[in-house]
Amino acid sequence: MVGVKMAAAAAASIRERQTVALKRMLNFNVPHIKNSTGEPVWKVLIYDRFGQDIISPLLSVKELRDMGITLHLLLHSDRDPIPDVPAVYFVMPTEENIDRMCQDLRNQLYESYYLNFISAISRSKLEDIANAALAASAVTQVAKVFDQYLNFITLEDDMFVLCNQNKELVSYRAINRPDITDTEMETVMDTIVDSLFCFFVTLGAVPIIRCSRGTAAEMVAVKLDKKLRENLRDARNSLFTGDTLGAGQFSFQRPLLVLVDRNIDLATPLHHTWTYQALVHDVLDFHLNRVNLEESSGVENSPAGARPKRKNKKSYDLTPADKFWQKHKGSPFPEVAESVQQELESYRAQEDEVKRLKSIMGLEGEDEGAISMLSDNTAKLTSAVSSLPELLEKKRLIDLHTNVATAVLEHIKARKLDVYFEYEEKIMSKTTLDKSLLDIISDPDAGTPEDKMRLFLIYYISAQQAPSEADLEQYKKALTDAGCNLNPLQYIKQWKAFAKMASAPTSYGNTTTKPMGLLSRVMNTGSQFVMEGVKNLVLKQQNLPVTRILDNLMEMKSNPETDDYRYFDPKMLRGNDSSVPRNKNPFQEAIVFVVGGGNYIEYQNLVDYIKGKQGKHILYGCSELFNATQFIKQLSQLGQK
């Protein structure tokens, strides 16, 4: 029974833990008690862009207000003095941020200052603040200075990404530039390690680390192991002692951290996808859980002769509170379209019920039948009225997903994404192809030049032997004719030669998707989603390389792919370089971290994989989250050199 309880405690997701830490910070670093009746202390929150990105996916403006935050301002904006209000700062410890804070102290902007640093601040910078406070005789007003160790962004209960501001510093391109110097590489690695360290402090656990050899992931592992080790050794200031560990919830078993290098699988980030969340990320502007749509101006509801409306931009937050999103973000798209339709019908039925009751209530009281109906209906009406807010919220979510799904569908139809998805799945699973690659590349109606380039790169990466020079020229010509930029191919060619991948091509499982005939059921006339011509493809679970590696290491399976992965245990006194794990038991918790960038396709694949494993948890993290467009752009920059 203990085991079950432990697992439940460990399942306090990283999102909850980071949210709790933020609320504690906003409460002047005193644990936040939910049911305290007292009014919150009104205060101002000052953050930089890093702080903003960390807070915005976790706390809404309303939640901030409930915590007593009346104003939230960017550090480097022009701020007026508010002399009788305490200010909570949440910023990175950079030179310019600290200069600006010192300036605030000198200008006596606020009543008191609670300085919180997203990542640990160095001794010398602390002294700068102390000197500024002395000079401004504001020492008494600086109430607290805290290192928060929150330098990462949580997007889901089980997904995090390192940073969003200047992410080009840790991008795939930055790590794989041929002309990168050792010192630049060190800086990139230190940035990644700092964030991962913050992640484990927030998680309250010291992981066992495994990584592939000879990659950027190995450099991260070595540095992270060292950093954790130093912190554990410094017993007085260790961040992993008693109280922070949430009463030892991990004491019985530690999580496994698998560090993977993006280079083990370059096909997946280019892959066209078929699940809802990954599609939204691929074809729309989806960023830190917010999707921005351009609404096509509706012809309806504008009076005759009126000027056509401009396109308005709308943004929607896809949050954990959105039940439809939580349930369907991993579903194949046709299923999503069908579910939106069902939700809409059930909503209309409820709405009609309320209308019917209204009309009965309007009856004249003379008629005896109406009187008896009235008493019967009063109870119904009461329940209808009490369910109104719920109905309105339901309506809002239905509208949101109708708009988002319609926007996605327009892309699928315009670009024949279902064809691409199915064809790429076949390439990646080495099934026989029913039509030639050249046909798709030269078909002017199929997709954008970028779609064609993605398809060809996947073919090139997955091919057991590279196409002959003559064939390659033919493909190149077709791609150029289709308007493709060939730079990404330049890079992938070098990459493939360098990795000598031909000897051991990454296999993606040998399953295929089954087309289920066209979407007959969604095609009923009442449906808003006219999906004729779009294939209803049903996904079969197949593990992508990242999931396979995790499975080997988490379940302690022997496999040539992962047998020589290095093993680090920061808790062991002497670090010994071995790939022999000391502990032979399978792990219950694991964190997969991709150095060089990740995507929602891999995330979804891991989520589906772990569904079948009882009582186990996985977190997916990456140094940046990119969609195929952003990734192609990086490959293209690398190919120009």
Side-chain angles (χ1 to χ4, degrees):
M1 198 52 231
V2 178
V4 178
K5 205 165 125 214
M6 287 288 201
S13 68
I14 186 65
R15 176 190 258 144
E16 276 169 61
R17 298 185 80 106
Q18 199 176 18
T19 310
V20 167
L22 285 171
K23 286 187 168 169
R24 188 176 59 220
M25 172 188 90
L26 295 175
N27 207 31
F28 304 125
N29 288 302
V30 183
H32 176 59
I33 301 154
K34 280 213 174 88
N35 49 11
S36 55
T37 46
E39 275 286 293
V41 181
W42 299 111
K43 46 192 165 300
V44 192
L45 170 64
I46 313 287
Y47 46 42
D48 59 0
R49 293 257 179 238
F50 286 91
Q52 188 179 23
D53 288 341
I54 292 168
I55 293 172
S56 70
L58 296 176
L59 296 171
S60 64
V61 175
K62 180 187 175 305
E63 286 172 294
L64 289 176
R65 198 167 300 127
D66 294 344
M67 298 279 314
I69 302 289
T70 46
L71 270 179
H72 37 98
L73 304 162
L74 279 164
L75 177 66
H76 293 283
S77 58
D78 292 329
R79 304 190 309 277
D80 298 327
I82 314 178
D84 47 356
V85 168
V88 175
Y89 286 75
F90 183 50
V91 296
M92 286 293 271
T94 59
E95 281 302 330
E96 57 203 338
N97 282 355
I98 285 167
D99 290 348
R100 185 60 191 258
M101 289 159 113
C102 296
Q103 192 184 322
D104 288 356
L105 289 172
R106 283 195 293 275
N107 297 344
Q108 301 186 338
L109 287 190
Y110 307 109
E111 176 201 47
S112 54
Y113 304 83
Y114 292 80
L115 309 181
N116 297 282
F117 294 103
I118 298 174
S119 180
I121 181 172
S122 67
R123 176 90 201 202
S124 62
K125 288 184 178 149
L126 257 181
E127 286 168 0
D128 294 347
I129 296 178
N131 292 334
L134 272 174
S137 53
V139 176
T140 48
Q141 278 113 316
V142 179
K144 286 182 177 167
V145 180
F146 267 88
D147 286 337
Q148 289 293 350
Y149 294 101
L150 290 174
N151 189 15
F152 58 96
I153 300 171
T154 308
L155 294 176
E156 303 280 343
D157 286 343
D158 45 9
M159 177 179 191
F160 67 100
V161 48
L162 290 198
C163 60
N164 173 43
Q165 299 302 319
N166 42 17
K167 57 182 172 203
E168 48 286 343
L169 295 180
V170 293
S171 64
Y172 177 81
R173 173 173 175 248
I175 299 170
N176 292 280
R177 283 199 350 247
D179 56 351
I180 188 166
T181 63
D182 287 354
T183 43
E184 285 172 322
M185 194 64 166
E186 289 285 311
T187 317
V188 175
M189 294 301 134
D190 287 338
T191 312
I192 294 178
V193 167
D194 179 66
S195 283
L196 280 172
F197 181 74
C198 290
F199 171 82
F200 285 107
V201 173
T202 307
L203 194 65
V206 180
I208 302 252
I209 306 171
R210 303 291 306 265
C211 68
S212 50
R213 292 175 184 269
T215 57
E218 182 177 29
M219 297 166 75
V220 172
V222 171
K223 279 182 177 288
L224 182 62
D225 174 61
K226 180 166 174 270
K227 189 160 179 145
L228 287 165
R229 200 174 277 280
E230 284 167 2
N231 190 272
L232 287 166
R233 213 166 277 151
D234 177 5
R236 257 193 347 192
N237 301 320
S238 174
L239 296 159
F240 296 97
T241 49
D243 54 339
T244 51
L245 282 185
Q249 59 173 37
F250 278 108
S251 53
F252 77 117
Q253 205 200 10
R254 290 158 53 199
L256 166 73
L257 167 65
V258 181
L259 286 163
V260 192
D261 196 279
R262 181 71 273 159
N263 282 318
I264 58 152
D265 171 16
L266 290 184
T268 304
L270 296 166
H271 190 17
H272 287 87
T273 169
W274 202 236
T275 56
Y276 191 27
Q277 184 174 32
L279 264 170
V280 169
H281 188 229
D282 188 5
V283 301
L284 305 176
D285 171 15
F286 180 53
H287 194 63
L288 297 184
N289 294 352
R290 169 172 292 174
V291 63
N292 296 310
L293 283 187
E294 278 199 353
E295 300 226 306
S296 46
S297 45
V299 185
E300 65 278 69
N301 72 29
S302 59
R307 285 196 307 242
K309 294 205 294 287
R310 286 202 319 271
K311 282 196 166 184
N312 357 349
K313 282 217 149 133
K314 276 209 110 157
S315 65
Y316 302 106
D317 288 314
L318 297 171
T319 61
D322 179 340
K323 294 206 175 57
F324 186 89
W325 178 243
Q326 288 309 315
K327 187 173 169 194
H328 291 291
K329 62 185 185 198
S331 311
F333 186 72
E335 232 172 82
V336 175
E338 201 174 323
S339 308
V340 174
Q341 196 52 38
Q342 285 164 359
E343 292 278 318
L344 192 60
E345 280 155 20
S346 83
Y347 166 75
R348 284 191 180 138
Q350 277 173 290
E351 200 177 37
D352 291 345
E353 174 70 357
V354 175
K355 281 185 186 147
R356 199 177 64 79
L357 289 171
K358 274 191 192 153
S359 66
I360 290 173
M361 288 310 196
L363 283 179
E364 302 306 298
E366 316 310 322
D367 169 5
E368 286 204 352
I371 301 274
S372 65
M373 275 175 78
L374 247 176
S375 57
D376 178 27
N377 276 314
T378 320
K380 277 194 185 166
L381 190 74
T382 321
S383 82
V385 169
S386 62
S387 67
L388 261 178
E390 220 172 279
L391 257 184
L392 289 170
E393 176 58 10
K394 197 169 177 183
K395 172 100 173 77
R396 186 185 74 80
L397 290 181
I398 292 170
D399 289 347
L400 184 160
H401 287 286
T402 306
N403 292 344
V404 173
T406 311
V408 170
L409 181 61
E410 280 167 9
H411 279 276
I412 293 178
K413 286 163 104 170
R415 292 160 55 185
K416 297 195 180 169
L417 297 185
D418 48 335
V419 177
Y420 277 97
F421 168 70
E422 190 183 16
Y423 200 80
E424 287 165 12
E425 288 277 313
K426 284 183 177 161
I427 293 177
M428 286 160 83
S429 58
K430 314 268 188 286
T431 346
T432 43
L433 303 171
D434 46 359
K435 58 178 170 207
S436 88
L437 190 59
L438 269 175
D439 289 352
I440 300 190
I441 294 175
S442 4
D443 175 359
D445 296 336
T448 60
E450 188 178 273
D451 290 325
K452 298 178 184 200
M453 197 65 206
R454 282 162 67 176
L455 172 66
F456 182 70
L457 289 176
I458 289 172
Y459 163 72
Y460 192 84
I461 291 166
S462 312
Q464 250 128 357
Q465 61 263 24
S468 69
E469 278 304 314
D471 289 354
L472 192 59
E473 283 311 313
Q474 202 181 352
Y475 283 127
K476 276 182 166 173
K477 183 179 179 319
L479 287 164
T480 315
D481 292 347
C484 300
N485 165 358
L486 293 184
N487 284 337
L489 180 59
Q490 280 307 105
Y491 174 73
I492 293 290
K493 263 178 87 169
Q494 297 161 2
W495 169 81
K496 195 159 174 146
F498 181 69
K500 300 203 178 53
M501 292 295 271
S503 55
T506 316
S507 79
Y508 293 88
N510 48 354
T511 46
T512 49
T513 46
K514 311 178 294 240
M516 293 279 288
L518 298 183
L519 291 192
S520 44
R521 277 185 307 166
V522 190
M523 291 307 76
N524 56 17
T525 45
S527 170
Q528 297 205 324
F529 297 100
V530 188
M531 297 190 62
E532 21 320 49
V534 176
K535 298 182 178 178
N536 186 358
L537 302 164
V538 174
L539 301 167
K540 278 172 68 175
Q541 172 62 22
Q542 56 187 42
N543 290 340
L544 294 173
V546 170
T547 310
R548 253 205 339 270
I549 289 170
L550 172 88
D551 179 49
N552 292 341
L553 295 173
M554 196 169 178
E555 301 297 337
M556 291 289 170
K557 296 178 179 170
S558 176
N559 185 309
E561 191 176 14
T562 50
D563 281 348
D564 73 331
Y565 268 49
R566 288 187 62 178
Y567 177 92
F568 296 90
D569 181 350
K571 280 193 169 176
M572 300 294 292
L573 277 177
R574 285 188 311 284
N576 55 351
D577 172 44
S578 75
S579 47
V580 184
R582 296 186 157 247
N583 133 8
K584 294 278 185 280
N585 303 331
F587 286 88
Q588 296 302 309
E589 327 254 326
I591 296 106
V592 185
F593 186 83
V594 189
V595 179
N599 53 62
Y600 282 110
I601 306 178
E602 274 170 350
Y603 164 66
Q604 195 51 53
N605 196 256
L606 284 163
V607 170
D608 293 340
Y609 156 81
I610 208 70
K611 273 185 195 144
K613 311 263 177 208
Q614 211 152 8
K616 299 203 168 195
H617 302 284
I618 290 189
L619 281 156
Y620 177 73
C622 47
S623 48
E624 66 164 330
L625 186 62
F626 43 52
N627 62 14
T629 307
Q630 294 155 334
F631 187 50
I632 278 249
K633 198 165 145 199
Q634 294 192 28
L635 294 179
S636 173
Q637 289 165 331
L638 284 164
Q640 282 165 8
K641 296 252 163 27

